[in-house]
Amino acid sequence: MDADTMAGGMTYGSGAARVSVAIVDDHPVVLEGVRSWLSADPRLEVVATGDNVEAVRSAARADVILLDLRLHGRMAVDEVSELSAAGQRVVVYSEHHEPNTILAVLDAGAVAFLAKHEGRDHCVETVLAAAADRPYVPPSLAGAMVGDRRSSRPALSEKEREALLLWFQSMSKASVAKRMQISEHTVKQYVDRARIKYARAGRPAATKSALLARAIEDGLIRPEEIGTYRSYASPDRPLP
């Protein structure tokens, strides 16, 4: 384990908040490469690295943990579940980017998935989005999900789809309610109803990321639709 800085959570440099990141990978070359990518961005600070989860977990509580899915010859899905249950934002990155694998780690609580071949820009953007609790779908991930029309695809009403889309665009449920001119309770009902439909179809989506993945996978939401933040939240008007 190597800890650059032992500060946990958001750190501050030159007055600007930086996102703290811990990286876990059992390949030193990959570890150093990803560390170099992230350290070069002034918005990010790598606070710990290690070849296993325990090394990083004991070093600092980072805003985001970037976790290689395959560690020492086995898939680390259980570690994803444990870290997520403990309140950590986990971004899984892996060379294994089959749709079933992606959905498995999202169902385990990961906030995002990044294929290792995506490159630096997508790595940085995925980490920043995860820290802000904002969805981000790299192209290959979108490509892997779009087009699957399995028979268990749930049908959403237009209102349910609209509420989900606005929520995925990083709006709070209160902002979605204001945009749609309905109550926040109704927005929550729309989101819960979508989750229930997926659960009944045998494809549960417990987390926001998992629900987004399902919606993209089924063609209910297009990846390009979530890329623009258009909140009606304060100052109560959409961004230009």
Side-chain angles (χ1 to χ4, degrees):
M1 182 276 294
D2 175 22
D4 298 287
T5 305
M6 302 308 291
M10 289 287 187
T11 58
Y12 294 82
S14 303
R18 290 195 289 173
V19 172
S20 58
V21 187
I23 310 169
V24 181
D25 198 302
D26 59 349
H27 292 87
V29 171
V30 176
L31 192 63
E32 286 305 311
V34 174
R35 173 178 173 160
S36 176
W37 285 352
L38 300 184
S39 297
D41 192 296
R43 297 168 293 180
L44 301 174
E45 180 179 24
V46 178
V47 296
T49 61
D51 67 355
N52 62 75
V53 169
E54 285 306 317
V56 168
R57 184 156 43 195
S58 62
R61 184 177 177 85
D63 297 315
V64 177
I65 293 180
L66 191 61
L67 175 67
D68 182 17
L69 183 58
R70 189 171 183 83
L71 294 173
H72 304 287
R74 70 175 189 84
M75 304 296 267
V77 178
D78 288 345
E79 283 84 347
V80 175
S81 296
E82 292 170 9
L83 290 167
S84 300
Q88 288 278 4
R89 297 182 185 91
V90 179
V91 172
V92 170
Y93 74 118
S94 177
E95 70 275 22
H96 301 283
H97 47 86
E98 304 80 11
N100 287 342
T101 301
I102 294 169
L103 288 171
V105 298
L106 294 179
D107 288 346
V111 298
F113 181 93
L114 180 74
K116 280 192 171 179
H117 66 267
E118 295 285 4
R120 177 190 175 279
D121 290 347
H122 286 301
C123 183
V124 168
E125 290 304 320
T126 300
V127 170
L128 289 171
D133 297 321
R134 177 169 52 84
Y136 181 77
V137 182
S140 67
L141 175 57
M145 291 178 172
V146 171
D148 186 345
R149 297 293 185 269
R150 62 184 76 182
S151 58
S152 55
R153 167 184 167 175
L156 301 183
S157 70
E158 185 53 39
K159 288 292 186 183
E160 289 169 350
R161 198 199 84 87
E162 182 181 359
L164 282 180
L165 174 60
L166 295 174
W167 187 49
F168 290 146
Q169 287 175 329
S170 299
M171 291 187 185
S172 67
K173 290 187 175 72
S175 293
V176 175
K178 183 176 291 186
R179 171 69 70 89
M180 295 179 67
Q181 298 185 328
I182 57 179
S183 71
E184 186 175 350
H185 176 71
T186 301
V187 174
K188 185 175 183 304
Q189 281 188 324
Y190 286 154
V191 174
D192 290 345
R193 201 177 298 165
R195 282 206 170 99
I196 289 170
K197 289 180 179 180
Y198 271 105
R200 286 176 176 170
R203 301 164 61 203
T207 65
K208 186 175 185 178
S209 294
L211 188 57
L212 172 62
R214 299 291 192 205
I216 292 175
E217 182 184 31
D218 289 341
L220 300 172
I221 301 288
R222 297 192 308 276
E224 60 269 25
E225 289 183 296
I226 66 168
T228 305
Y229 182 67
R230 297 180 297 176
S231 176
Y232 267 12
S234 181
D236 283 335
R237 59 176 62 90
L239 296 175

